[in-house]
Amino acid sequence: MPHIHILLCTKNGGSYIRAQLQSIHAQTHRDWTLWISDDGSTDDTLACVNRFIVAHPDRDIRLVTGPGQGCAQNFMTLLARPELTRAWVAFADQDDVWMPHKLARAVDMIWRGTGAQIYASRSIYTDAALNPIGMSPDYQRPFGFGNALVQNILRGNTIVLPPDVTEFLADTLPFALDAGIPFHDWWVYQTVTGAGFDVIHDAKPGVLYRQHDNNLLGSNRTHAGHRAAILLRAVFAGWIDRNLRVLSDLSPVLTGQSRRVLFDFIDWRAQPASDWRAAPQSIGVYRQTLGGDFALRVLARLGKL
């Protein structure tokens, strides 16, 4: 079984991190290293982490200082460490709880697949006390570059990367770090599908995904108002702007089909907002539902995309 580097980024997660650390320790896949990058916690997060390190001297658990520039930059700076060249990597959030099978199932499904693939899974949504309140969507449309341009559906807290994908992402990190991309998992989804890697999205949940007031986004249901405000204030459009700048720079390493979709989408967005643009599906850009596709056209009409 492969050795997996678990990358956990923290900031003021003292209320929840104990449960996450214990769930990592309880994994049935036992061959792992845990690297924790703290982005300036002022609560008892560091004390919790240090107690966990002391309690498990047989484990390679490292605590480093993050860049202090937000969650995405913290994860990407950690992934950029040279020791992770061609490593198996799993991302972890401070406030979740992993199910015991998470790592073992990810490795098994990647090895059973053909070609280079990345793994992600559904999650069980819980409240702050870990009481289940729902489940993440079981997406039916393909996981592809045209979807990744306008929708972030690979939950970073479920992602596992095999060595070929880690090596590829490491080469693109300078571009992403320089552009200040908004979400590390969205960048992963866009970049790997653009380069032709496949996505395994496991219908079996592997994570208890805690919903609370400090989630950056959270589930559609529990944070619907926040998400709507992001769309209407054109924050979403700003995120897409940054993503497209990076993808344009990386276009030489994208597949020919992905380059076509990328530049067609850039041209589509450049059309005047007063024009009712052609459906985004006509250029291979889509969200996971018909309602989502319609929302793209409405946002374009309002000049918010």
Short mmCIF file of all heavy atoms in Angstrom, two decimals, residues 5-10 35-39 62-85 89 91 161 166 169-185 187-188:
data_model
loop_
_atom_site.label_atom_id
_atom_site.label_comp_id
_atom_site.label_asym_id
_atom_site.label_seq_id
_atom_site.Cartn_x
_atom_site.Cartn_y
_atom_site.Cartn_z
N HIS A 5 0.69 11.25 2.03
CA HIS A 5 0.92 12.48 2.77
C HIS A 5 -0.41 13.21 2.91
O HIS A 5 -1.01 13.63 1.91
CB HIS A 5 1.92 13.38 2.03
CG HIS A 5 3.33 12.87 2.06
ND1 HIS A 5 3.75 11.81 1.28
CD2 HIS A 5 4.40 13.27 2.78
CE1 HIS A 5 5.03 11.59 1.51
NE2 HIS A 5 5.45 12.45 2.41
N ILE A 6 -0.87 13.36 4.12
CA ILE A 6 -2.11 14.07 4.41
C ILE A 6 -1.76 15.53 4.69
O ILE A 6 -0.95 15.82 5.58
CB ILE A 6 -2.84 13.46 5.62
CG1 ILE A 6 -3.14 11.99 5.36
CG2 ILE A 6 -4.13 14.23 5.92
CD1 ILE A 6 -3.61 11.23 6.60
N LEU A 7 -2.37 16.44 3.94
CA LEU A 7 -2.10 17.86 4.08
C LEU A 7 -3.30 18.51 4.76
O LEU A 7 -4.40 18.57 4.18
CB LEU A 7 -1.83 18.51 2.73
CG LEU A 7 -0.76 17.85 1.86
CD1 LEU A 7 -0.49 18.70 0.62
CD2 LEU A 7 0.53 17.62 2.64
N LEU A 8 -3.10 18.98 5.98
CA LEU A 8 -4.16 19.57 6.79
C LEU A 8 -3.82 21.03 7.05
O LEU A 8 -2.76 21.32 7.61
CB LEU A 8 -4.31 18.81 8.11
CG LEU A 8 -5.23 19.38 9.18
CD1 LEU A 8 -6.66 19.49 8.67
CD2 LEU A 8 -5.17 18.52 10.44
N CYS A 9 -4.70 21.94 6.64
CA CYS A 9 -4.47 23.37 6.86
C CYS A 9 -5.41 23.86 7.95
O CYS A 9 -6.60 23.52 7.97
CB CYS A 9 -4.68 24.15 5.57
SG CYS A 9 -3.39 23.84 4.36
N THR A 10 -4.88 24.67 8.85
CA THR A 10 -5.64 25.09 10.02
C THR A 10 -5.58 26.60 10.20
O THR A 10 -4.62 27.27 9.82
CB THR A 10 -5.10 24.42 11.30
OG1 THR A 10 -3.73 24.81 11.49
CG2 THR A 10 -5.19 22.92 11.22
N TRP A 35 1.01 16.35 7.60
CA TRP A 35 1.64 17.68 7.63
C TRP A 35 0.56 18.72 7.87
O TRP A 35 -0.43 18.78 7.13
CB TRP A 35 2.36 17.95 6.30
CG TRP A 35 3.59 17.13 6.12
CD1 TRP A 35 4.04 16.11 6.91
CD2 TRP A 35 4.54 17.25 5.05
NE1 TRP A 35 5.21 15.59 6.41
CE2 TRP A 35 5.54 16.27 5.27
CE3 TRP A 35 4.64 18.08 3.95
CZ2 TRP A 35 6.62 16.10 4.42
CZ3 TRP A 35 5.72 17.92 3.09
CH2 TRP A 35 6.70 16.94 3.32
N ILE A 36 0.75 19.53 8.87
CA ILE A 36 -0.23 20.53 9.28
C ILE A 36 0.39 21.91 9.09
O ILE A 36 1.45 22.21 9.64
CB ILE A 36 -0.64 20.32 10.75
CG1 ILE A 36 -1.19 18.90 10.95
CG2 ILE A 36 -1.66 21.38 11.18
CD1 ILE A 36 -1.33 18.51 12.41
N SER A 37 -0.30 22.75 8.32
CA SER A 37 0.16 24.11 8.07
C SER A 37 -0.82 25.07 8.74
O SER A 37 -1.98 25.17 8.32
CB SER A 37 0.25 24.39 6.57
OG SER A 37 0.70 25.72 6.33
N ASP A 38 -0.37 25.75 9.77
CA ASP A 38 -1.25 26.66 10.50
C ASP A 38 -1.06 28.08 9.99
O ASP A 38 0.06 28.59 9.88
CB ASP A 38 -0.98 26.61 12.00
CG ASP A 38 -1.99 27.44 12.77
OD1 ASP A 38 -3.12 26.95 12.97
OD2 ASP A 38 -1.65 28.58 13.15
N ASP A 39 -2.20 28.75 9.72
CA ASP A 39 -2.17 30.05 9.06
C ASP A 39 -2.37 31.21 10.04
O ASP A 39 -2.90 32.25 9.65
CB ASP A 39 -3.25 30.09 7.97
CG ASP A 39 -2.77 30.76 6.69
OD1 ASP A 39 -1.55 30.83 6.49
OD2 ASP A 39 -3.62 31.18 5.89
N ARG A 62 4.09 16.68 11.20
CA ARG A 62 4.88 17.90 11.15
C ARG A 62 3.96 19.12 11.19
O ARG A 62 2.93 19.15 10.52
CB ARG A 62 5.73 17.94 9.87
CG ARG A 62 6.54 16.67 9.65
CD ARG A 62 7.39 16.76 8.39
NE ARG A 62 7.96 15.46 8.04
CZ ARG A 62 8.81 15.26 7.04
NH1 ARG A 62 9.19 16.28 6.29
NH2 ARG A 62 9.26 14.05 6.79
N LEU A 63 4.36 20.11 11.94
CA LEU A 63 3.61 21.36 12.05
C LEU A 63 4.46 22.48 11.48
O LEU A 63 5.59 22.70 11.92
CB LEU A 63 3.26 21.64 13.51
CG LEU A 63 2.54 22.96 13.81
CD1 LEU A 63 1.21 23.03 13.09
CD2 LEU A 63 2.36 23.12 15.32
N VAL A 64 3.93 23.19 10.48
CA VAL A 64 4.67 24.27 9.84
C VAL A 64 3.81 25.53 9.87
O VAL A 64 2.60 25.49 10.13
CB VAL A 64 5.06 23.92 8.39
CG1 VAL A 64 5.93 22.68 8.35
CG2 VAL A 64 3.81 23.74 7.52
N THR A 65 4.44 26.65 9.58
CA THR A 65 3.75 27.94 9.56
C THR A 65 3.29 28.27 8.15
O THR A 65 4.08 28.23 7.20
CB THR A 65 4.69 29.05 10.07
OG1 THR A 65 5.09 28.75 11.40
CG2 THR A 65 3.97 30.41 10.05
N GLY A 66 2.01 28.58 8.01
CA GLY A 66 1.45 28.90 6.71
C GLY A 66 1.79 30.31 6.26
O GLY A 66 2.34 31.11 7.03
N PRO A 67 1.43 30.67 5.03
CA PRO A 67 1.79 31.99 4.48
C PRO A 67 0.93 33.12 5.01
O PRO A 67 1.25 34.29 4.77
CB PRO A 67 1.58 31.80 2.98
CG PRO A 67 0.53 30.75 2.88
CD PRO A 67 0.77 29.82 4.03
N GLY A 68 -0.18 32.80 5.68
CA GLY A 68 -1.05 33.85 6.20
C GLY A 68 -1.81 34.59 5.13
O GLY A 68 -2.15 35.76 5.30
N GLN A 69 -2.14 33.91 4.03
CA GLN A 69 -2.83 34.55 2.90
C GLN A 69 -4.12 33.83 2.52
O GLN A 69 -4.60 33.97 1.41
CB GLN A 69 -1.89 34.60 1.69
CG GLN A 69 -0.63 35.42 1.93
CD GLN A 69 0.32 35.37 0.75
OE1 GLN A 69 -0.06 34.97 -0.35
NE2 GLN A 69 1.54 35.78 0.97
N GLY A 70 -4.68 33.08 3.44
CA GLY A 70 -5.94 32.42 3.16
C GLY A 70 -5.79 30.94 2.90
O GLY A 70 -4.69 30.41 2.71
N CYS A 71 -6.94 30.26 2.88
CA CYS A 71 -6.97 28.80 2.81
C CYS A 71 -6.33 28.26 1.53
O CYS A 71 -5.52 27.33 1.59
CB CYS A 71 -8.43 28.34 2.91
SG CYS A 71 -8.65 26.55 2.86
N ALA A 72 -6.69 28.81 0.37
CA ALA A 72 -6.16 28.28 -0.89
C ALA A 72 -4.65 28.41 -0.95
O ALA A 72 -3.93 27.46 -1.32
CB ALA A 72 -6.80 29.01 -2.08
N GLN A 73 -4.12 29.58 -0.57
CA GLN A 73 -2.68 29.78 -0.58
C GLN A 73 -1.99 28.86 0.42
O GLN A 73 -0.88 28.36 0.17
CB GLN A 73 -2.37 31.24 -0.26
CG GLN A 73 -2.88 32.23 -1.30
CD GLN A 73 -2.02 32.26 -2.55
OE1 GLN A 73 -0.81 32.39 -2.48
NE2 GLN A 73 -2.66 32.16 -3.70
N ASN A 74 -2.63 28.61 1.54
CA ASN A 74 -2.05 27.72 2.54
C ASN A 74 -1.90 26.31 1.99
O ASN A 74 -0.83 25.69 2.09
CB ASN A 74 -2.93 27.73 3.80
CG ASN A 74 -2.21 27.20 5.02
OD1 ASN A 74 -1.01 26.90 5.00
ND2 ASN A 74 -2.93 27.08 6.11
N PHE A 75 -2.97 25.78 1.38
CA PHE A 75 -2.89 24.44 0.82
C PHE A 75 -1.86 24.36 -0.31
O PHE A 75 -1.06 23.41 -0.38
CB PHE A 75 -4.26 24.01 0.28
CG PHE A 75 -5.11 23.28 1.29
CD1 PHE A 75 -6.21 23.89 1.86
CD2 PHE A 75 -4.80 21.98 1.67
CE1 PHE A 75 -6.99 23.23 2.78
CE2 PHE A 75 -5.57 21.30 2.60
CZ PHE A 75 -6.68 21.93 3.15
N MET A 76 -1.85 25.34 -1.19
CA MET A 76 -0.95 25.27 -2.35
C MET A 76 0.51 25.43 -1.93
O MET A 76 1.39 24.79 -2.50
CB MET A 76 -1.35 26.31 -3.38
CG MET A 76 -2.68 26.00 -4.04
SD MET A 76 -3.00 27.06 -5.49
CE MET A 76 -3.05 28.66 -4.70
N THR A 77 0.76 26.28 -0.93
CA THR A 77 2.13 26.43 -0.44
C THR A 77 2.62 25.13 0.18
O THR A 77 3.79 24.74 0.01
CB THR A 77 2.20 27.57 0.59
OG1 THR A 77 1.75 28.78 -0.03
CG2 THR A 77 3.61 27.77 1.09
N LEU A 78 1.73 24.44 0.88
CA LEU A 78 2.09 23.15 1.47
C LEU A 78 2.35 22.12 0.38
O LEU A 78 3.33 21.36 0.44
CB LEU A 78 0.97 22.70 2.40
CG LEU A 78 1.24 21.55 3.36
CD1 LEU A 78 2.49 21.80 4.21
CD2 LEU A 78 0.03 21.32 4.27
N LEU A 79 1.49 22.10 -0.63
CA LEU A 79 1.67 21.13 -1.73
C LEU A 79 2.94 21.40 -2.51
O LEU A 79 3.52 20.48 -3.11
CB LEU A 79 0.46 21.20 -2.66
CG LEU A 79 0.41 20.21 -3.81
CD1 LEU A 79 0.38 18.77 -3.31
CD2 LEU A 79 -0.80 20.48 -4.71
N ALA A 80 3.43 22.64 -2.50
CA ALA A 80 4.62 23.01 -3.27
C ALA A 80 5.92 22.53 -2.63
O ALA A 80 6.99 22.65 -3.24
CB ALA A 80 4.67 24.53 -3.44
N ARG A 81 5.87 22.00 -1.43
CA ARG A 81 7.10 21.56 -0.77
C ARG A 81 7.78 20.46 -1.60
O ARG A 81 7.12 19.53 -2.07
CB ARG A 81 6.81 21.07 0.65
CG ARG A 81 6.28 22.16 1.57
CD ARG A 81 5.92 21.61 2.93
NE ARG A 81 7.08 21.22 3.68
CZ ARG A 81 7.72 21.99 4.56
NH1 ARG A 81 7.29 23.22 4.79
NH2 ARG A 81 8.76 21.55 5.22
N PRO A 82 9.09 20.56 -1.79
CA PRO A 82 9.78 19.63 -2.69
C PRO A 82 9.70 18.17 -2.24
O PRO A 82 9.83 17.25 -3.06
CB PRO A 82 11.22 20.14 -2.70
CG PRO A 82 11.36 20.97 -1.47
CD PRO A 82 10.01 21.58 -1.24
N GLU A 83 9.49 17.94 -0.95
CA GLU A 83 9.40 16.56 -0.46
C GLU A 83 8.18 15.82 -1.03
O GLU A 83 8.12 14.59 -0.95
CB GLU A 83 9.32 16.53 1.07
CG GLU A 83 10.50 17.20 1.77
CD GLU A 83 10.18 18.63 2.15
OE1 GLU A 83 9.55 19.35 1.33
OE2 GLU A 83 10.55 19.03 3.27
N LEU A 84 7.23 16.56 -1.57
CA LEU A 84 6.01 15.94 -2.06
C LEU A 84 6.06 15.62 -3.55
O LEU A 84 5.04 15.23 -4.13
CB LEU A 84 4.81 16.86 -1.78
CG LEU A 84 4.49 17.06 -0.30
CD1 LEU A 84 3.33 18.01 -0.13
CD2 LEU A 84 4.19 15.73 0.37
N THR A 85 7.21 15.77 -4.17
CA THR A 85 7.34 15.42 -5.58
C THR A 85 6.97 13.95 -5.78
O THR A 85 7.52 13.06 -5.12
CB THR A 85 8.79 15.66 -6.07
OG1 THR A 85 9.10 17.04 -5.90
CG2 THR A 85 8.92 15.28 -7.54
N VAL A 89 -1.05 12.16 -2.16
CA VAL A 89 -1.45 13.29 -1.32
C VAL A 89 -2.95 13.25 -1.08
O VAL A 89 -3.73 12.96 -2.01
CB VAL A 89 -1.06 14.64 -1.98
CG1 VAL A 89 -1.73 15.81 -1.26
CG2 VAL A 89 0.44 14.81 -1.98
N PHE A 91 -5.95 15.80 0.81
CA PHE A 91 -6.27 17.06 1.48
C PHE A 91 -7.22 16.80 2.65
O PHE A 91 -8.11 15.96 2.56
CB PHE A 91 -6.93 18.04 0.51
CG PHE A 91 -6.05 18.50 -0.61
CD1 PHE A 91 -6.55 18.61 -1.90
CD2 PHE A 91 -4.73 18.85 -0.40
CE1 PHE A 91 -5.76 19.04 -2.95
CE2 PHE A 91 -3.92 19.29 -1.44
CZ PHE A 91 -4.44 19.38 -2.72
N LEU A 161 -4.80 12.39 -4.35
CA LEU A 161 -4.04 12.52 -5.60
C LEU A 161 -2.96 11.45 -5.68
O LEU A 161 -2.14 11.33 -4.76
CB LEU A 161 -3.36 13.90 -5.66
CG LEU A 161 -4.23 15.13 -5.44
CD1 LEU A 161 -3.36 16.37 -5.34
CD2 LEU A 161 -5.25 15.28 -6.57
N THR A 166 -0.01 14.54 -8.75
CA THR A 166 0.71 15.45 -7.84
C THR A 166 1.87 16.12 -8.57
O THR A 166 2.10 17.33 -8.44
CB THR A 166 1.25 14.68 -6.63
OG1 THR A 166 0.17 14.03 -5.96
CG2 THR A 166 1.93 15.63 -5.65
N LEU A 169 0.48 18.79 -10.96
CA LEU A 169 0.00 19.97 -10.25
C LEU A 169 1.16 20.79 -9.71
O LEU A 169 1.10 22.03 -9.70
CB LEU A 169 -0.93 19.55 -9.12
CG LEU A 169 -2.31 19.04 -9.55
CD1 LEU A 169 -3.07 18.50 -8.33
CD2 LEU A 169 -3.12 20.11 -10.24
N ALA A 170 2.20 20.13 -9.24
CA ALA A 170 3.35 20.85 -8.70
C ALA A 170 3.96 21.77 -9.76
O ALA A 170 4.41 22.89 -9.45
CB ALA A 170 4.40 19.88 -8.19
N ASP A 171 3.96 21.34 -11.01
CA ASP A 171 4.51 22.16 -12.08
C ASP A 171 3.66 23.39 -12.37
O ASP A 171 4.15 24.39 -12.90
CB ASP A 171 4.67 21.33 -13.36
CG ASP A 171 5.78 20.29 -13.25
OD1 ASP A 171 6.67 20.48 -12.39
OD2 ASP A 171 5.73 19.31 -14.00
N THR A 172 2.36 23.32 -12.06
CA THR A 172 1.47 24.46 -12.33
C THR A 172 1.34 25.40 -11.13
O THR A 172 0.75 26.48 -11.26
CB THR A 172 0.06 23.97 -12.71
OG1 THR A 172 -0.62 23.45 -11.56
CG2 THR A 172 0.13 22.90 -13.80
N LEU A 173 1.87 25.00 -9.98
CA LEU A 173 1.67 25.78 -8.75
C LEU A 173 2.18 27.22 -8.84
O LEU A 173 1.51 28.13 -8.34
CB LEU A 173 2.35 25.08 -7.57
CG LEU A 173 1.49 24.04 -6.85
CD1 LEU A 173 2.35 23.20 -5.92
CD2 LEU A 173 0.36 24.70 -6.08
N PRO A 174 3.34 27.49 -9.44
CA PRO A 174 3.78 28.89 -9.50
C PRO A 174 2.77 29.82 -10.16
O PRO A 174 2.59 30.96 -9.73
CB PRO A 174 5.09 28.81 -10.29
CG PRO A 174 5.60 27.42 -10.06
CD PRO A 174 4.36 26.57 -9.99
N PHE A 175 2.10 29.34 -11.20
CA PHE A 175 1.09 30.16 -11.88
C PHE A 175 -0.10 30.43 -10.95
O PHE A 175 -0.59 31.55 -10.87
CB PHE A 175 0.61 29.45 -13.15
CG PHE A 175 1.68 29.22 -14.17
CD1 PHE A 175 2.41 28.04 -14.18
CD2 PHE A 175 1.97 30.19 -15.12
CE1 PHE A 175 3.40 27.82 -15.13
CE2 PHE A 175 2.96 29.97 -16.08
CZ PHE A 175 3.68 28.79 -16.08
N ALA A 176 -0.55 29.38 -10.26
CA ALA A 176 -1.72 29.52 -9.39
C ALA A 176 -1.42 30.40 -8.19
O ALA A 176 -2.24 31.23 -7.79
CB ALA A 176 -2.19 28.14 -8.93
N LEU A 177 -0.24 30.24 -7.60
CA LEU A 177 0.14 31.05 -6.45
C LEU A 177 0.27 32.52 -6.84
O LEU A 177 -0.14 33.41 -6.08
CB LEU A 177 1.44 30.53 -5.84
CG LEU A 177 1.34 29.22 -5.07
CD1 LEU A 177 2.72 28.63 -4.82
CD2 LEU A 177 0.62 29.44 -3.73
N ASP A 178 0.83 32.77 -7.99
CA ASP A 178 1.01 34.15 -8.44
C ASP A 178 -0.32 34.84 -8.70
O ASP A 178 -0.49 36.04 -8.43
CB ASP A 178 1.87 34.17 -9.71
CG ASP A 178 2.15 35.58 -10.19
OD1 ASP A 178 2.83 36.33 -9.46
OD2 ASP A 178 1.69 35.94 -11.29
N ALA A 179 -1.30 34.10 -9.21
CA ALA A 179 -2.60 34.68 -9.55
C ALA A 179 -3.52 34.81 -8.35
O ALA A 179 -4.53 35.49 -8.41
CB ALA A 179 -3.28 33.85 -10.63
N GLY A 180 -3.18 34.14 -7.24
CA GLY A 180 -4.05 34.18 -6.07
C GLY A 180 -5.40 33.55 -6.33
O GLY A 180 -6.44 34.12 -6.02
N ILE A 181 -5.38 32.33 -6.88
CA ILE A 181 -6.64 31.68 -7.22
C ILE A 181 -7.49 31.50 -5.96
O ILE A 181 -6.95 31.34 -4.86
CB ILE A 181 -6.41 30.34 -7.95
CG1 ILE A 181 -5.54 29.40 -7.12
CG2 ILE A 181 -5.77 30.58 -9.29
CD1 ILE A 181 -6.33 28.34 -6.45
N PRO A 182 -8.83 31.53 -6.09
CA PRO A 182 -9.68 31.61 -4.90
C PRO A 182 -9.81 30.31 -4.12
O PRO A 182 -9.96 30.36 -2.89
CB PRO A 182 -11.03 32.05 -5.47
CG PRO A 182 -11.01 31.61 -6.90
CD PRO A 182 -9.58 31.72 -7.35
N PHE A 183 -9.78 29.15 -4.79
CA PHE A 183 -10.02 27.88 -4.11
C PHE A 183 -9.07 26.82 -4.66
O PHE A 183 -9.02 26.60 -5.88
CB PHE A 183 -11.46 27.41 -4.29
CG PHE A 183 -12.47 28.38 -3.76
CD1 PHE A 183 -13.13 29.23 -4.63
CD2 PHE A 183 -12.75 28.46 -2.41
CE1 PHE A 183 -14.06 30.15 -4.15
CE2 PHE A 183 -13.66 29.38 -1.91
CZ PHE A 183 -14.33 30.22 -2.78
N HIS A 184 -8.36 26.15 -3.77
CA HIS A 184 -7.38 25.16 -4.21
C HIS A 184 -8.06 23.97 -4.87
O HIS A 184 -7.54 23.40 -5.83
CB HIS A 184 -6.51 24.70 -3.04
CG HIS A 184 -7.26 23.94 -1.99
ND1 HIS A 184 -8.11 24.55 -1.09
CD2 HIS A 184 -7.30 22.60 -1.70
CE1 HIS A 184 -8.62 23.64 -0.28
NE2 HIS A 184 -8.15 22.45 -0.64
N ASP A 185 -9.24 23.55 -4.36
CA ASP A 185 -9.89 22.38 -4.95
C ASP A 185 -10.48 22.70 -6.33
O ASP A 185 -10.47 21.85 -7.23
CB ASP A 185 -10.95 21.80 -4.01
CG ASP A 185 -11.88 22.84 -3.41
OD1 ASP A 185 -11.78 24.03 -3.76
OD2 ASP A 185 -12.70 22.46 -2.55
N TRP A 187 -9.16 24.88 -8.40
CA TRP A 187 -7.96 24.87 -9.26
C TRP A 187 -7.58 23.44 -9.64
O TRP A 187 -7.24 23.17 -10.80
CB TRP A 187 -6.82 25.59 -8.54
CG TRP A 187 -5.45 25.25 -9.02
CD1 TRP A 187 -4.85 25.63 -10.20
CD2 TRP A 187 -4.49 24.42 -8.36
NE1 TRP A 187 -3.59 25.10 -10.27
CE2 TRP A 187 -3.34 24.37 -9.17
CE3 TRP A 187 -4.50 23.76 -7.13
CZ2 TRP A 187 -2.21 23.64 -8.80
CZ3 TRP A 187 -3.37 23.04 -6.76
CH2 TRP A 187 -2.25 22.98 -7.60
N VAL A 188 -7.62 22.52 -8.68
CA VAL A 188 -7.32 21.11 -8.98
C VAL A 188 -8.29 20.58 -10.02
O VAL A 188 -7.87 19.96 -11.03
CB VAL A 188 -7.37 20.25 -7.70
CG1 VAL A 188 -7.33 18.76 -8.06
CG2 VAL A 188 -6.21 20.60 -6.77
#
